[in-house]
Amino acid sequence: MKLIGKRIIELLIFLVILSFLSFVLMKLAPGDPVKQMLRVDDVAVSEEQINSLRTELGFNEPVYIQYVKWLKRFFQFDLGSSYMTKEPVIDELAEKFPATLRLTAASLVVMLLIAMPLGTLSALYPNKWVDYLSRSVSLIGASIPSFWLGLLFIQLFSVRLQWLPSMGTGTAAHLVLPSLTLGFAMSAVYMRMIRASLLEGLKQDFVRSARARGISESRIFIFHAFRYSLTPLLTILGTSLGSLLGGTVIIEVLFAYPGIGKLVIDAIMNRDYPVIQGYILWMGLFVVLINSLVDLSYKYVNPQLYVKGGDKT
């Protein structure tokens, strides 16, 4: 319980620091959100109207007063309202998050279907044809930028073959191309990680001891070597999940997928600062929570880490 309490305190401190930095950087960013808001109606505006809107939004107050007021609303779970849509930011994020969550889950499934079998076979049969195949696929996946891979998939499956839609959402078919793009790009890293972790695990003393006791190779692999390899895999998986749940900006824009990533790009284009700040805190919250869950999972995956470090819960 002490560890959980410590993580909660660290989370609150992190969110306050992140909120301050994001608020200040928004104020230093070029452009004027007030003029952007008034330009929406495509009518000429006077300087008096601009100043009136600045006063209404509190932009004429000192920055530290604006931040204190914003922070007070933040701790009341109020992230403000969008300058463009006038909708509460937290409602817009909550509306777009399920689409990003579906894309994240589908991408992870694609990644596991590619990386797990190829990475495992590559470790079981090093320097064999399957190992060379796995390393070749990993090299190709790491070399091709994800946006370029997405364009290739659109050209092949949407334009030429006309099998799959290239943009939007609504059906399972709309998830195929963006999740395939993300999953294949991620699998390059995971294949190498799985191979290296399993090869290292198979060389450990406890594996040799298990073989000496006559335990079957399949049981040794599943309950000893594979469990040993989960620690580095969970670490990198936490990073990937945080990135995906924060919104895969390039892919969502490329496939016109209405998730959080596309929402924040539209907000940046319109200088919609409340949405941008809300997105930054939303992403930071999920990154910290996921990394905390990964740290807690080490206790069950590899208890030796806690025994050696003397960390107590």
Side-chain angles (χ1 to χ4, degrees):
M1 294 301 296
K2 289 183 179 179
L3 179 60
I4 296 176
K6 179 182 177 182
R7 295 298 184 189
I8 292 175
I9 293 174
E10 290 176 351
L11 174 61
L12 292 176
I13 295 174
F14 171 78
L15 288 178
V16 171
I17 295 174
L18 183 62
S19 68
F20 175 77
L21 292 176
S22 64
F23 191 89
V24 171
L25 290 175
M26 289 300 100
K27 296 301 179 182
L28 295 176
D32 190 341
V34 172
K35 293 182 179 179
Q36 185 70 27
M37 293 169 64
L38 294 174
R39 195 178 296 125
V40 170
D41 297 327
D42 291 327
V43 295
V45 293
S46 64
E47 194 67 27
E48 183 178 342
Q49 289 176 302
I50 294 176
N51 289 329
S52 175
L53 186 55
R54 285 184 191 279
T55 303
E56 180 183 341
L57 295 175
F59 287 171
N60 291 330
E61 296 178 333
V63 175
Y64 69 91
I65 293 180
Q66 295 181 46
Y67 173 70
V68 170
K69 289 182 177 180
W70 181 85
L71 188 64
K72 183 179 178 180
R73 293 196 302 269
F74 168 70
F75 281 110
Q76 295 173 349
F77 303 100
D78 180 9
L79 296 177
S81 300
S82 167
Y83 292 157
M84 297 297 113
T85 65
K86 310 302 180 184
E87 296 292 330
V89 172
I90 195 167
D91 289 347
E92 291 203 345
L93 293 173
E95 180 185 354
K96 301 297 183 181
F97 184 66
T100 297
L101 187 62
R102 289 192 295 270
L103 180 58
T104 297
S107 301
L108 289 176
V109 169
V110 172
M111 182 274 293
L112 290 173
L113 290 176
I114 298 174
M116 284 300 294
L118 288 178
T120 301
L121 291 174
S122 182
L124 290 175
Y125 304 101
N127 299 320
K128 304 294 184 181
W129 69 268
V130 68
D131 185 23
Y132 294 129
L133 174 63
S134 174
R135 284 190 280 180
S136 299
V137 173
S138 176
L139 180 62
I140 293 172
S143 302
I144 301 178
S146 58
F147 73 90
W148 179 249
L149 183 63
L151 290 173
L152 292 178
F153 285 153
I154 291 174
Q155 177 66 20
L156 176 61
F157 295 109
S158 295
V159 178
R160 291 183 178 273
L161 300 178
Q162 297 184 353
W163 287 354
L164 297 166
S166 62
M167 60 181 60
T169 186
T171 65
H174 289 87
L175 272 175
V176 175
L177 290 184
S179 61
L180 187 62
T181 302
L182 287 170
F184 185 79
M186 287 193 300
S187 66
V189 177
Y190 282 89
M191 272 188 282
R192 296 197 300 269
M193 181 66 71
I194 291 170
R195 181 183 185 275
S197 299
L198 286 176
L199 286 175
E200 182 180 351
L202 291 170
K203 296 176 182 178
Q204 298 300 308
D205 292 338
F206 57 80
V207 171
R208 288 193 288 267
S209 299
R211 288 197 179 107
R213 293 196 302 269
I215 300 177
S216 65
E217 286 294 325
S218 60
R219 188 174 181 84
I220 290 173
F221 177 79
I222 295 173
F223 293 101
H224 295 277
F226 185 73
R227 185 178 182 183
Y228 176 86
S229 69
L230 283 179
T231 301
L233 289 178
L234 283 174
T235 302
I236 192 173
L237 182 62
T239 304
S240 298
L241 275 174
S243 176
L244 289 171
L245 289 176
T248 49
V249 176
I250 296 177
I251 300 304
E252 289 188 5
V253 171
L254 178 63
F255 290 96
Y257 190 82
I260 286 183
K262 189 174 185 303
L263 173 68
V264 74
I265 288 296
D266 293 339
I268 292 172
M269 298 296 294
N270 293 318
R271 296 180 177 83
D272 198 345
Y273 292 163
V275 175
I276 300 172
Q277 290 171 253
Y279 165 81
I280 292 173
L281 290 175
W282 182 279
M283 185 172 64
L285 176 64
F286 275 101
V287 169
V288 173
L289 287 177
I290 290 170
N291 287 335
S292 298
L293 290 175
V294 169
D295 288 344
L296 292 173
S297 70
Y298 291 157
K299 178 181 179 181
Y300 303 98
V301 173
N302 192 351
Q304 291 179 346
L305 294 176
Y306 280 75
V307 173
K308 292 178 181 179
D311 200 349
K312 303 293 183 181
T313 58

